[in-house]
Amino acid sequence: MAQVRAGGVVVLDHPLIRHKMALLRDAATTTRDFKQLVSEIAALMTYEVTRELPTETIEVATPLETTRGERIACKIALVPILRAGLGMVEGIVQLIPNARVGHIGLYRDHDTLEPVSYYFKVPTPVADHRFFLLDPMLATGGSAAEAADELKRAGATEIALLSLVAAPEGVAAFTARHPDIPVTVAALDRCLNADGYILPGLGDAGDRIFGTR
Ligand code: PRP
Ligand code: URA
């Protein structure tokens, strides 16, 4: 899959992703379709972000003879940032069924746009896992950066961030705080508006996934 590197972020470039992102942005897309699209785009992104996973050689008995195969040689943990990150889990789990799933609860204070932390539970032993931090929106970058701080404080050393839509401001803020964490997105948008929403963006991802507005 083609990649475009732009200021610390990898933007995935694939016709299916571009097609599904246009549907996702459309204000007329129903909650049902929105949820499905978030899951499908996350699944497509999984091919690229798992490219460097270590594998080990194993023996496989086919119906005819024994041959060599490979299997993933690390423990994978998916960590959605609540709420909207939950929408990305199912699509990835379909491809990595034995991934463990942690949860980090954060919401953005409406006035300050600062993240407020309310829940943290991730698979242990933390240092044994490769973490994929999931949040469809990287706006100011505050929520993802706080989640990464919490993961590191818990002992995580291998972390990657997957977002569907990022603002340049969010990428800059996140990579300044976490230069060691690769950021992969499906689209890099223009900017934030005065309320901290991504333009052109797709609106409030959590509300659109869960139909709360
Ligand atoms: C949204 C989104 C991110 C955050 C991004 O969550 O899902 O977590 O905002 O913004 P930031 O980059 O400026 O921090 P929100 O705070 O709306 O919480 P919710 O998912 O519970 O609705
Ligand atoms: N959170 C969202 O859900 N959408 C935005 O555009 C910004 C933050």
Side-chain angles (χ1 to χ4, degrees):
M1 186 182 297
Q3 302 181 353
V4 181
R5 285 175 195 277
V9 66
V10 170
V11 185
L12 297 182
D13 184 26
H14 190 283
L16 283 176
I17 290 183
R18 294 200 299 272
H19 177 90
K20 289 178 191 294
M21 282 302 300
L23 294 171
L24 194 68
R25 291 183 191 279
D26 189 338
T29 295
T30 62
T31 297
R32 179 168 162 267
D33 288 347
F34 191 91
K35 208 182 314 176
Q36 176 77 23
L37 286 161
V38 168
S39 186
E40 288 173 355
I41 296 166
L44 290 168
M45 295 178 76
T46 303
Y47 286 95
E48 197 56 38
V49 298
T50 54
R51 179 182 288 280
E52 306 293 339
L53 287 183
T55 58
E56 60 193 9
T57 305
I58 54 168
E59 285 211 333
V60 183
T62 80
L64 301 173
E65 62 179 28
T66 299
T67 186
R68 287 151 80 89
E70 287 187 51
R71 71 175 169 210
I72 302 291
C74 65
K75 291 180 179 163
I76 295 172
L78 310 179
V79 181
I81 299 178
L82 306 180
R83 291 175 296 168
L86 287 172
M88 298 173 70
V89 173
E90 185 53 36
I92 302 176
V93 162
Q94 281 183 12
L95 297 174
I96 314 175
N98 57 355
R100 308 260 184 98
V101 181
H103 296 87
I104 295 181
L106 292 173
Y107 68 87
R108 256 189 357 168
D109 180 276
H110 277 291
D111 297 322
T112 65
L113 300 184
E114 289 297 322
V116 181
S117 178
Y118 60 88
Y119 188 75
F120 184 88
K121 183 87 177 173
V122 298
T124 56
V126 175
D128 289 359
H129 289 78
R130 285 189 178 229
F131 288 90
F132 291 99
L133 194 52
L134 312 176
D135 195 325
M137 311 306 285
L138 186 66
T140 66
S143 301
E146 170 62 23
D149 279 343
E150 293 183 15
L151 273 179
K152 286 180 178 177
R153 277 200 295 274
T157 55
E158 299 275 355
I159 307 172
L161 172 65
L162 275 73
S163 290
L164 302 195
V165 185
E169 297 92 325
V171 172
F174 184 86
T175 54
R177 249 165 90 176
H178 297 288
D180 56 314
I181 299 183
V183 180
T184 306
V185 303
L188 182 59
D189 277 11
R190 195 173 73 248
C191 63
L192 295 178
N193 72 9
D195 297 321
Y197 277 82
I198 299 174
L199 296 176
L202 48 74
D204 187 304
D207 282 340
R208 294 195 68 185
I209 290 170
F210 296 105
T212 40
R213 191 172 295 168

